[in-house]
Amino acid sequence: MARGAHPHSGPSQRQLRVGELIRRTLSDVLQKGEIHDPDLNRIPITVGEVVVTSDLKIATAYVLPLGGQGRDEMLDALRRNRFELRRAVTRAMTLKYSPELKFAIDETFDRLDATRRMFAEERVKRDLSESQDDVPDGD
């Protein structure tokens, strides 16, 4: 389920399509260095996901600098250039309203690393091994 989605309903297909279009557009604009800010252009940025509100007026882009270093500097540069980034997104889309862009750190990779570390613990490996022994073969 996408971030910010209601736990029972989830985002609509339109929200998902718009979010993905914004994600691709932001990725392209940032990769090509189309924003005229040297601070922003020297940071390789990954746009992991864009979550759009149900009215399509606010889009939150979950971003991470390559290598994970300089997160605060990256967020400051993105926020400083949000109006120019919004114009770039607007040019690529055919929506009645251009969504306001917000930026947040994408913590997906941090959670994956934590999960990997947890599964590497001996205690967890032992518990998983024991639970596998309790599963019937299916014969």
Side-chain angles (χ1 to χ4, degrees):
M1 174 171 40
R3 295 179 184 109
H6 190 274
H8 300 293
S9 63
S12 69
Q13 286 298 312
R14 186 163 189 226
Q15 284 174 273
L16 294 172
R17 279 194 316 270
V18 169
E20 180 58 17
L21 180 58
I22 293 171
R23 187 195 69 75
R24 279 193 236 145
T25 302
L26 282 174
S27 291
D28 289 346
V29 166
L30 293 169
Q31 180 185 4
K32 293 175 183 173
E34 294 179 10
I35 304 302
H36 304 292
D37 181 339
D39 292 336
L40 186 61
N41 290 330
R42 68 181 169 77
I43 306 169
I45 298 172
T46 300
V47 183
E49 181 181 18
V50 174
V51 176
V52 182
T53 57
S54 58
D55 61 4
L56 306 178
K57 292 194 178 185
I58 300 172
T60 303
Y62 291 90
V63 295
L64 192 65
L66 194 62
Q69 302 300 316
R71 293 176 180 200
D72 292 336
E73 179 185 355
M74 176 204 63
L75 280 177
D76 289 344
L78 287 168
R79 290 173 179 155
R80 194 171 53 245
N81 291 284
R82 72 184 179 279
F83 297 113
E84 196 172 347
L85 289 163
R86 185 178 186 181
R87 273 193 300 276
V89 166
T90 301
R91 283 192 304 267
M93 301 177 65
T94 56
L95 290 175
K96 187 172 183 177
Y97 300 102
S98 175
E100 175 187 342
L101 295 178
K102 295 186 177 193
F103 299 95
I105 296 295
D106 186 347
E107 297 177 348
T108 304
F109 296 109
D110 293 339
R111 288 195 304 270
L112 286 172
D113 287 343
T115 302
R116 279 191 208 104
R117 282 192 302 273
M118 180 186 69
F119 279 118
E121 293 177 13
E122 284 304 316
R123 164 180 64 84
V124 174
K125 287 181 182 179
R126 184 178 56 248
D127 288 347
L128 288 172
S129 175
E130 289 172 5
S131 68
Q132 289 292 323
D133 293 341
D134 295 340
V135 176
D137 287 342
D139 289 327

